[in-house]
Amino acid sequence: MAAEFLVMLYEYSPLFYITVISVCFIITVAAVLGWFGFDVPVILRSSDENESLIPVPERKMVQVTNPFALEMDSTAEGVSLRPYCLEDCVLSCFWGCGVQALQAALQSHQRELRLSTSELFQEALQLSYLHHQSFNIQKEEKKEYFTQMPPDLGITHFGLLPRDRYPLVAVLTLANLETSDNYNIVASVTVLHVPDDKYRLSARILFQYLLTAHGNFYDLKPLFMSADNSNLSGSTEPSTSTQDAEPQPEIPGEKGEESDSEGEWPDTQGKDCVVCQNAPTNRVLLPCRHACVCDGCVCRFQHCPICRAFVLESFALSNRPTCDIEEEDLTED
């Protein structure tokens, strides 16, 4: 009977091929669905979530005592600078400072020459500036100091882009060397843009460096946080503004050095983590510098929840225990 049926199907060739294909399709579907007891792997989570169980490397916080802070306010004639210093200091303003000269001065600080005074910094620049002006700042004094390029020099711009000179470099150094032993930071170097006839972009801080007594220097960069957490966040542009006339006491370490003392970033209890919405934000992701997750959630992501950039490292805003994946967190899924 079966042979006769196959002969009939073969005589009607289209029906034969359709039948064979249908049977093969049914067998394949049955195998995939496990009807025959096959162990079929089921993907429950995306590969990104599985990889996120690998902890993100943690960069240690370097705690230093910074006696300097600086605010700026641009006018049509020049720039008003408002320094905040914990000790008597000197504010040196270098107009038209050479870019290469400034970089060479910073490198000389790393090698052997410690730029701990305004005279040493001025000497390291090797007169590669157009105008120099200095002010003596009293301890914890709240006063604005106005500086400008002298009109009699006839300089109305600093060249076309790319420029070989910075419009203004403001340097804060301690006035008394006796007080330098009390602080890790010996100088603050702030590079500012000032609008001129060739480049009308509004005045702003371009870079800021803190020079340490041990020959290192830190490039200060802003943190990107929610507007509700204004005590911690820098704006989208570099800023050195302080609160209650006191400089920030901690700096994220660029070289991964571990601090010797314990401390906390001020007012760390801010907006909740964007992931769990339960714990306060305490982790800054690098290199994007978004501060948006807590200690518990940072271990679960290899991409920033805000910008989706790949996370290479992170550091904590306060000295809490290193993030570990607890059993209760793993059993929630």
Side-chain angles (χ1 to χ4, degrees):
M1 182 66 67
E4 295 178 357
F5 179 73
L6 291 177
V7 171
M8 292 177 60
L9 288 178
Y10 184 76
E11 291 178 354
Y12 300 93
S13 57
L15 181 61
F16 176 81
Y17 290 117
I18 293 175
T19 304
V20 172
I21 293 174
S22 300
V23 172
C24 293
F25 176 78
I26 294 174
I27 295 175
T28 302
V29 172
V32 172
L33 296 179
W35 286 359
F36 300 128
F38 289 71
D39 293 329
V40 180
V42 179
I43 300 176
L44 298 178
R45 294 185 176 183
S46 66
S47 59
D48 185 36
E49 290 177 343
N50 291 333
E51 293 176 357
S52 65
L53 295 178
I54 303 175
V56 175
E58 181 181 3
R59 175 170 290 187
K60 299 299 182 181
M61 178 84 72
V62 176
Q63 298 184 11
V64 295
T65 305
N66 178 21
F68 308 112
L70 186 69
E71 290 182 349
M72 66 166 293
D73 186 19
S74 176
T75 64
E77 295 79 16
V79 176
S80 294
L81 300 176
R82 186 183 300 107
Y84 299 107
C85 302
L86 301 181
E87 300 289 346
D88 295 345
C89 61
V90 177
L91 172 62
S92 302
C93 300
F94 299 93
W95 285 89
C97 180
V99 174
Q100 294 183 355
L102 178 60
Q103 296 302 321
L106 295 176
Q107 291 175 5
S108 66
H109 175 78
Q110 285 185 306
R111 290 193 297 266
E112 53 185 26
L113 180 63
R114 299 292 182 262
L115 305 180
S116 56
T117 65
S118 59
E119 293 79 9
L120 290 174
F121 198 92
Q122 184 176 359
E123 181 181 352
L125 290 177
Q126 299 179 354
L127 300 178
S128 183
Y129 51 85
L130 303 177
H131 176 64
H132 171 242
Q133 191 176 9
S134 62
F135 306 92
N136 293 321
I137 313 298
Q138 299 298 319
K139 178 180 179 180
E140 297 182 353
E141 180 182 39
K142 299 180 181 180
K143 182 180 177 181
E144 288 189 355
Y145 294 86
F146 180 77
T147 180
Q148 66 175 149
M149 176 70 75
D152 55 359
L153 293 181
I155 299 175
T156 59
H157 62 84
F158 299 96
L160 298 174
L161 299 178
R163 289 176 166 176
D164 59 355
R165 292 183 180 272
Y166 291 122
L168 178 60
V169 175
V171 180
L172 282 168
T173 54
L174 294 173
N176 302 320
L177 294 179
E178 294 78 9
T179 61
S180 61
D181 295 335
N182 301 327
Y183 302 98
N184 306 95
I185 304 299
V186 297
S188 171
V189 181
T190 305
V191 180
L192 303 101
H193 167 72
V194 180
D196 54 27
D197 293 347
K198 294 295 184 180
Y199 199 36
R200 304 301 302 175
L201 184 67
S202 60
R204 63 190 62 197
I205 294 177
L206 299 178
F207 311 103
Q208 188 176 27
Y209 305 99
L210 293 182
L211 279 61
T212 69
H214 302 289
N216 298 323
F217 71 89
Y218 298 100
D219 181 9
L220 297 186
K221 296 180 180 180
L223 302 183
F224 302 103
M225 302 188 68
S226 169
D228 298 336
N229 213 355
S230 58
N231 288 339
L232 283 177
S233 64
S235 62
T236 55
E237 301 170 0
S239 173
T240 58
S241 60
T242 59
Q243 298 178 358
D244 300 330
E246 293 183 4
Q248 297 287 355
E250 298 178 348
I251 302 171
E254 293 294 333
K255 300 183 181 298
E257 300 176 5
E258 187 171 2
S259 170
D260 295 332
S261 59
E262 296 294 328
E264 291 190 355
W265 196 291
D267 299 333
T268 54
Q269 299 297 329
K271 187 174 178 61
D272 290 340
C273 169
V274 298
V275 179
C276 66
Q277 296 292 317
N278 290 324
T281 297
N282 190 50
R283 285 282 173 167
V284 178
L285 307 180
L286 298 176
C288 66
R289 303 195 304 277
H290 279 116
C292 56
V293 296
C294 62
D295 291 322
C297 293
V298 69
C299 297
R300 300 185 178 277
F301 292 90
Q302 289 190 329
H303 295 274
C304 174
I306 302 298
C307 65
R308 301 300 299 166
F310 192 79
V311 179
L312 299 180
E313 293 176 303
S314 70
F315 67 89
L317 291 177
S318 62
N319 290 334
R320 299 177 182 177
T322 304
C323 172
D324 294 324
I325 302 177
E326 300 178 355
E327 294 183 358
E328 59 181 4
D329 296 327
L330 295 176
T331 56
E332 288 181 357
D333 299 332

